[in-house]
Amino acid sequence: MSRSHLQIRPKAATDLIHDVTPASAGWSHVGFALHRLDAGGAAGGDAGARELCLVLVSGKARIAVDGVDFGEIGERMSPFEGAPWAVYVPAGSSWTAQATTELELAVCSAPGGGDYKAKVIAPGTHPRLTRGKGANMRHVYNIMPEDDGSAHALLVVEVITPQGNTSSYPPHKHDQDNLPHESQLEETYYHRINPPQGFAFQRVYTDDRSLDEAMAVENGDVVLVPRGYHPVATTAGYDLYYLNVMAGPRRVWKFHNAPEHE
């Protein structure tokens, strides 16, 4: 089975495991990179015209922005072990991360603007939410939600879906700049699976089926959602983690459910 053009496998034997840019994705707003570092390894860069959210998927690091040292942050050694630590980096800033343990560091990005300040986003900044019920239950850790007023464009969230459950369900989309009914947001999903040999399924499709891709998602994959509905389903025995990055013309998450599944 050939892999969908929306599904990106992690690179092997490199510190930079993923590097999705607006140019590589064929869209305008969202970027997603992932660094996997040994203790003592380092990553960093200049935000330029973009704003960033550095998410410690697992491990600990000492992070600085524009020379201001935020100290060592991070506590979980797996994305399945609780809420994340993160750092917001405004446009025009530089950042460095020095791994103090093995580290997976996600760099979420979108066009910057406004007068926002660098800050640490600690676990508990936003409460954990549980959505759905029964086999549609999942647990949500908002990192940068739309109502926190902390960024120009970025929306960042983590979701844990227990084994055998569906998520991002009922199927919903956010591909029309038609507020107050729907907002236009590009989105990436970074998937992790526990235990890691498992798999999940994700479908990305539009009403007219001009886009209709079904993917067997493995540990470490990124899925691009340029438009359309994008439900996810785990398999028995395997919990699913995903990190979502969203951005568009306006920093509003207003989605439209598929009426036949609502």
Side-chain angles (χ1 to χ4, degrees), residues 79-173:
F80 296 93
E81 292 177 353
W85 284 82
V87 175
Y88 174 73
V89 181
S93 299
S94 61
W95 64 277
T96 59
Q98 185 82 28
T100 55
T101 67
E102 289 187 352
L103 177 70
E104 272 204 350
L105 180 71
V107 182
C108 315
S109 72
D115 185 22
Y116 299 97
K117 307 301 181 184
K119 66 175 183 178
V120 173
I121 305 169
T125 300
H126 306 287
R128 188 183 87 160
L129 305 174
T130 297
R131 292 185 182 143
K133 58 185 179 181
N136 189 34
M137 184 183 68
R138 62 272 198 197
H139 308 295
V140 178
Y141 292 102
N142 276 312
I143 300 171
M144 295 185 67
E146 65 174 315
D147 60 0
D148 68 350
S150 65
H152 176 70
L154 264 177
L155 297 164
V156 183
V157 63
E158 290 185 342
V159 178
I160 301 287
T161 306
Q163 59 148 336
N165 283 14
T166 53
S167 196
S168 295
Y169 197 86
H172 67 273
K173 71 182 185 76

Side-chain angles (χ1 to χ4, degrees), residues 182-203:
E182 185 177 349
S183 57
Q184 181 182 344
L185 297 168
E186 304 156 356
E187 186 168 18
T188 55
Y189 277 68
Y190 170 58
H191 290 282
R192 291 288 302 277
I193 295 169
N194 185 35
Q197 73 271 19
F199 59 92
F201 295 100
Q202 185 158 24
R203 185 183 181 195

